[in-house]
Amino acid sequence: MLASRIIMKYGVDAVREVCVEKQDISDPEIDWAKLFRHVARDQVTIELGDGEYAIAQIVPVQKSVSTKQFASIMSSLPSFGDDCEAFAQDIETIRESFKEDIDPWAS
C-alpha cells in the first residue's frame, strides 16, 4: 500500500499531507453538505483555502468505542459485591468534605 511505504520512508506527517484534499472556498458551486458527508464517509481531511492560502481544515471525527463495545467493556468489569454500600458511603464522605466554604484565595 502506498501509505505504508510513505510512512516508512518519510514518516506519518508525510501521509497526512498526501491524504489532504484541497477545496477553494471562492468556488460558488461548493455543495457543503456533500463535502461534509464525503469527509465523514471516506474519513478524509479537506483543507479549505482562499487562493494559495490554507485557512481551515474539515477533519473526520475520530471514533473511539462503539456503544456495543462500551457495553461489553462495562459488563466485563468486576462488580462491587458487598463493598458497594461501603464505597457509596466513602464517596458521600468525600463529597461532604468538599462542601465546606473554603476560600482558596484568602491570605
Side-chain angles (χ1 to χ4, degrees), residues 17-65:
E17 187 64 32
V18 170
C19 296
V20 172
E21 297 178 17
K22 301 190 184 297
Q23 175 67 52
D24 192 337
I25 62 167
S26 62
D27 180 2
E29 302 294 319
I30 297 173
D31 182 347
W32 291 101
K34 184 178 177 182
L35 193 68
F36 281 97
R37 280 193 300 274
H38 171 54
V39 168
R41 182 187 61 242
D42 301 326
Q43 296 291 297
V44 296
T45 297
I46 297 182
E47 184 176 88
L48 302 175
D50 190 11
E52 61 185 73
Y53 299 102
I55 56 173
Q57 284 187 335
I58 304 171
V59 297
V61 173
Q62 298 297 318
K63 296 177 183 173
S64 55
V65 176

Side-chain angles (χ1 to χ4, degrees), residues 70-98:
F70 181 72
S72 174
I73 292 168
M74 293 305 289
S75 67
S76 71
L77 295 176
S79 67
F80 282 112
D82 296 335
D83 295 336
C84 190
E85 273 303 313
F87 179 71
Q89 186 58 44
D90 290 344
I91 296 296
E92 192 57 38
T93 302
I94 292 168
R95 284 183 180 153
E96 290 295 323
S97 71
F98 284 108

